[in-house]
């Protein structure tokens, strides 16, 4: 496996160099940016947290003074709440923008020999993952047909967690698993990967496990039998 920094010199979209003889592109795709924002950047959870903070702040602003009743809304100073709402909106906009840029700069490629992941917004990396170095895979399906396809590598093959983020499986820090995040038609892409892996490694078996069925700290399904 190797990572390159030559996005501007791609021989073809998503590929840092021309494919050798006998290798061909079978599938290419990118994350759905809206699903990526929800599942990788957790914008829903962040938005809920901000909403709760605004509610608490509104309650404090309208709380009665000692010995008096509820403040009339007309005399409440809403400026702190407006400022907070503006900052929260800016933060969410930046988070959504980062998710959009991350999806836009990402391209996943399946060939008949390997998985290629071109990722990164400012620092672009291209990871080549030959099927011979992929020990297992797991699929976590999402709404709208998207899914996360995590690839378990052999123990001696380790890619830095920070290098992969957000294209890695959650809770796997010591042995990060490169993950095709929020790909459309995730089930079909997973089955295609399984078919290509079996064709490349005839006589061996790989099961496409369900990531949702595994707890974060257990051995991931899909390991070689």
């Amino acid at each position: 496996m190797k990572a390159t920094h030559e996005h501007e010199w791609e021989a073809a979209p998503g590929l840092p160099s021309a494919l050798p003889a006998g290798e061909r592109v079978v599938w290419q795709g990118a994350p759905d940016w809206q699903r990526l924002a929800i599942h990788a950047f957790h914008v829903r959870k962040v938005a809920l947290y901000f909403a709760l903070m605004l509610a608490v702040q509104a309650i404090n602003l309208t709380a009665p003074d000692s010995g008096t009743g509820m403040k009339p809304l007309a005399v409440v100073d809403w400026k702190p709440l407006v400022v907070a709402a503006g900052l929260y909106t800016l933060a969410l906009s930046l988070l959504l923008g980062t998710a959009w840029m991350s999806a836009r700069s990402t391209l996943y490629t399946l060939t008949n020999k390997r998985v290629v992941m071109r990722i990164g917004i400012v620092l672009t990396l291209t990871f080549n993952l030959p099927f011979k170095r992929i020990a297992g895979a797991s699929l976590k399906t999402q709404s709208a047909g998207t899914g996360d396809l995590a690839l378990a590598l052999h123990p001696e093959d380790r890619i830095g967690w920070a290098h992969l983020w957000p294209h890695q499986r959650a809770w796997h820090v010591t042995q990060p698993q490169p993950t095709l995040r929020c790909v459309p038609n995730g089930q079909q892409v997973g089955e295609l990967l399984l078919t290509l892996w079996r064709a490349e490694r005839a006589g061996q078996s790989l099961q496409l496990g369900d990531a949702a069925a595994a707890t974060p700290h257990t051995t991931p399904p899909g390991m070689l039998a």
Side-chain angles (χ1 to χ4, degrees), residues 119-177:
I119 62 176
I121 299 175
V122 177
L123 178 62
T124 303
L125 298 174
T126 302
F127 291 101
N128 288 290
L129 309 174
F131 290 134
K132 293 180 180 180
R133 306 309 305 168
I134 297 177
S138 59
L139 175 66
K140 182 179 180 180
T141 57
Q142 302 157 352
S143 59
T146 59
D148 287 348
L149 187 60
L151 307 176
L153 306 178
H154 291 287
E156 61 270 20
D157 296 324
R158 188 179 183 278
I159 302 175
W161 186 92
H163 293 159
L164 287 170
W165 188 88
H167 309 272
Q168 87 296 327
R169 186 177 178 184
W171 306 107
H172 289 68
V173 179
T174 57
Q175 190 68 29
Q177 295 186 8

Side-chain angles (χ1 to χ4, degrees), residues 1-7 10-20 23-31 105-120 124-134 149 151 153 159 164 167 178-181 183 189 193 196:
M1 296 183 298
K2 62 179 181 178
T4 63
H5 303 263
E6 301 177 350
H7 174 32
E10 286 182 333
L15 300 174
S17 60
L19 294 177
E23 186 173 1
R24 68 186 188 282
V25 173
V26 179
W27 173 88
Q28 282 189 322
S105 61
T106 297
L107 187 60
Y108 305 130
T109 303
L110 297 183
T111 77
N112 57 323
K113 301 290 184 179
R114 54 181 161 156
V115 179
V116 183
M117 299 174 61
R118 189 194 73 194
I119 62 176
T124 303
L125 298 174
T126 302
F127 291 101
N128 288 290
L129 309 174
F131 290 134
K132 293 180 180 180
R133 306 309 305 168
I134 297 177
L149 187 60
L151 307 176
L153 306 178
I159 302 175
L164 287 170
H167 309 272
T179 303
L180 280 61
R181 298 299 301 265
V183 293
V189 176
L193 172 67
L196 294 171

Side-chain angles (χ1 to χ4, degrees), residues 184-224:
N185 303 314
Q187 184 67 41
Q188 292 87 333
V189 176
E191 292 173 355
L192 177 60
L193 172 67
L194 180 60
T195 300
L196 294 171
W197 192 96
R198 286 174 171 169
E200 176 65 11
R201 302 185 64 168
Q204 299 186 47
S205 62
L206 176 76
Q207 292 182 346
L208 183 64
D210 184 0
T215 58
H217 301 289
T218 58
T219 302
M223 299 304 292
L224 285 172

